[in-house]
Amino acid sequence: MKASLHPSRTVALLFLAVIVVGTLLLMLPYASADGQSASLLTAAFTAVSAVCVTGLVVVDTGSYWSTFGQWVILLLFQFGGFGMMTLATLLGLMVNRSFRLRTKLVAQVESHSLGLGDITSVAKLVLVVTLGMEALITALLTLRLHVGYGLPWDQAAWSGLFHAVSAFNNAGFSIHADSLMGYAGDSLILTPVMAAIIIGGIGFPVLQDLRNRLRDPRHWSLHTKLTLSGTVLLLLGGFLVMLLAEWSNPRTLGAMTLDDKLLSAAFASVSARTAGFNSIDIGALTHESWAVHYFLMFIGGGSAGTAGGVKITTVAVLVLLVVAEIRGRSDTEAFGRRVSDSAQRQAITVLVLGSAMVVLGTLVILRNTEIPTDQVIFEVISAFGTVGLSTGITADLPPSSQWMLTLLMFAGRVGTITLATSLALGEHRMPYRYPEEHPIVG
């Protein structure tokens, strides 16, 4: 009898297969604007970045790739966002109810925030949310680009569609060489994009919980409460730091009006949470702003959503653990609920392994390039957190470093989810326990 693959391995293999197909399609002469076949590295890097909804590029998306190539990229990050949101939700259901995956998944989380019957039900609900939001944002952007910028309807519609799908999936791909810098002061462009980024990155379990209990926050799940509170704190914190650090910087916010400064700082804070768009020059930011980007990019967004990073709930659980330890509490608690010991161990494992990946990637790239360390760290965290922001060094990195970034993107997108699921599903009670001893810590 053949042993069945672990669900988390199946997810990784599925995404790897899509990356291979995407790479082959992007290597076709039709995919390039000049009719020449793209190199393996260029095609593979772009395919990985798209499927892993990162947005890092080694060539300009709008000028290097043909319309066919851009459609391939759009479909790749649509699959990457929709597919990972669906699969991560299903894997989360498996963890919460500890059931087996065979032909169907029948489950309901204890909080009843996800009243889902089977795979088809999950996929349909995610599909409705995805296509509904993308259609709305596409319409808003198309109308603005046609009326406000005089673009013909076909060009406005294509640009609106591409950026709407990219925003909702937190992909960060743009057909403009300067991303969204040309719209830095346009709230009618940046606000819909921010809305798509936040809704796509907050996670489907949270959206479903809000849908069922929008007027009854007392009965929201602990996951929803941690995700929403963490999101608000990170967005406000990032906004304030960006505003203060860049207020007088003539290369970013310094020359803007007050309204434009507020809008651009807010957009930078939202986008740093794994979206990858930028309305100001990332390479011109102060070191303080780079530092807050490190933090925001590494944490990322909500679980089972389109965002990357180690996830808000991971960091929230660890913060609660620290608070409980400082206060001398034996239990880690929040919102009248106790966080399980297994969730705490899983959070520690994800954070430690994520940090190790960032350190390893940084060391490998530093060994092969003379680029300043702070820019390399920015690039590595952006890749691992599947953010896509860059200080402008991606195309200048040697091939070995670019391959390293592809590994980081794949590990950051697929690895954290499959790792967390493997840890949860692989948990089992031992028939014995060793005598307890307390080593000296600190």
Side-chain angles (χ1 to χ4, degrees):
M1 181 179 294
K2 294 182 179 180
S4 59
L5 281 176
H6 191 284
S8 59
R9 294 180 183 175
T10 304
V11 172
L13 291 175
L14 175 61
F15 273 74
L16 187 60
V18 175
I19 288 172
V20 171
V21 173
T23 300
L24 294 176
L25 289 175
L26 290 176
M27 290 181 69
L28 295 174
Y30 303 108
S32 300
D34 60 3
Q36 302 294 318
S37 297
S39 67
L40 174 61
L41 175 57
T42 298
F45 190 98
T46 304
V48 172
S49 184
V51 173
C52 296
V53 291
T54 304
L56 287 176
V57 293
V58 291
V59 293
D60 177 50
T61 303
S63 61
Y64 184 87
W65 302 108
S66 65
T67 301
F68 172 79
Q70 292 175 24
W71 266 108
V72 170
I73 293 171
L74 183 149
L75 293 175
L76 288 177
F77 59 65
Q78 177 73 296
F79 171 84
F82 170 75
M84 185 55 76
M85 184 185 289
T86 304
L87 292 171
T89 301
L90 291 170
L91 292 175
L93 290 173
M94 293 179 64
V95 171
N96 284 328
R97 296 294 288 174
S98 299
F99 58 82
R100 295 181 178 181
L101 176 64
R102 289 296 180 264
T103 57
K104 282 190 175 183
L105 304 178
V106 182
Q108 185 174 13
V109 294
E110 294 180 2
S111 65
H112 301 286
S113 61
L114 289 172
L116 307 174
D118 53 25
I119 294 178
T120 304
S121 298
V122 176
K124 284 182 178 179
L125 284 171
V126 177
L127 183 63
V128 168
V129 173
T130 299
L131 296 184
M133 276 300 304
E134 290 176 353
L136 175 61
I137 301 303
T138 297
L140 293 174
L141 294 181
T142 299
L143 185 62
R144 177 57 179 166
L145 290 171
H146 175 73
V147 175
Y149 294 87
L151 289 181
W153 278 112
D154 58 340
Q155 295 182 24
W158 170 240
S159 181
L161 174 66
F162 192 94
H163 290 97
V165 176
S166 182
F168 181 80
N169 290 289
N170 280 222
F173 276 88
S174 174
I175 55 177
H176 306 310
D178 60 354
S179 190
L180 299 182
M181 290 177 62
Y183 311 110
D186 193 339
S187 61
L188 296 180
I189 293 289
L190 297 188
T191 301
V193 171
M194 283 192 287
I197 292 170
I198 293 173
I199 294 174
I202 207 168
F204 180 72
V206 173
L207 295 178
Q208 184 68 358
D209 203 7
L210 293 178
R211 175 192 175 190
N212 294 337
R213 296 177 178 79
L214 181 60
R215 298 181 180 180
D216 190 14
R218 293 178 302 172
H219 291 87
W220 289 351
S221 68
L222 178 59
H223 172 79
T224 296
K225 292 177 180 178
L226 290 178
T227 301
L228 291 179
S229 58
T231 297
V232 171
L233 288 174
L234 290 174
L235 290 179
L236 287 177
F239 167 73
L240 291 175
V241 173
M242 286 294 300
L243 197 62
L244 294 174
E246 301 299 324
W247 185 271
S248 302
N249 186 348
R251 300 173 62 191
T252 55
L253 302 184
M256 295 183 179
T257 63
L258 175 60
D259 289 344
D260 289 350
K261 286 182 178 181
L262 295 176
L263 177 64
S264 293
F267 187 82
S269 179
V270 171
S271 187
R273 304 267 321 289
T274 79
F277 290 113
N278 62 286
S279 62
I280 54 178
D281 185 4
I282 299 298
L285 294 177
T286 63
H287 291 282
E288 294 87 348
S289 296
W290 279 357
V292 76
H293 272 75
Y294 297 162
F295 183 71
L296 295 175
M297 293 190 299
F298 185 73
I299 294 177
S303 300
T306 58
V310 296
K311 303 298 187 295
I312 294 173
T313 46
T314 299
V315 176
V317 167
L318 293 177
V319 170
L320 293 173
L321 174 60
V322 171
V323 171
E325 190 67 24
I326 291 175
R327 298 175 65 183
R329 300 285 184 86
S330 58
D331 292 331
T332 300
E333 304 166 339
F335 300 105
R337 292 291 185 271
R338 179 168 53 86
V339 180
S340 67
D341 293 339
S342 61
Q344 297 175 48
R345 293 195 301 270
Q346 291 157 21
I348 293 172
T349 303
V350 169
L351 186 70
V352 170
L353 293 182
S355 301
M357 286 293 298
V358 170
V359 171
L360 176 63
T362 301
L363 292 176
V364 170
I365 294 179
L366 284 176
R367 182 177 177 84
N368 299 321
T369 182
E370 298 297 325
I371 295 175
T373 303
D374 51 359
Q375 290 182 279
V376 171
I377 293 175
F378 192 103
E379 199 82 5
V380 168
I381 298 178
S382 179
F384 176 77
T386 67
V387 181
L389 293 174
S390 175
T391 58
I393 68 172
T394 312
D396 298 328
L397 292 171
S400 59
S401 296
Q402 292 178 355
W403 282 116
M404 185 67 210
L405 290 180
T406 63
L407 293 176
L408 287 168
M409 288 188 285
F410 186 80
R413 181 57 176 163
V414 181
T416 53
I417 293 175
T418 56
L419 171 63
T421 306
S422 297
L423 291 172
L425 294 178
E427 182 181 354
H428 60 279
R429 294 184 178 276
M430 298 295 292
Y432 59 87
R433 299 179 73 183
Y434 289 108
E436 182 177 296
E437 188 171 340
H438 195 113
I440 300 174
V441 176

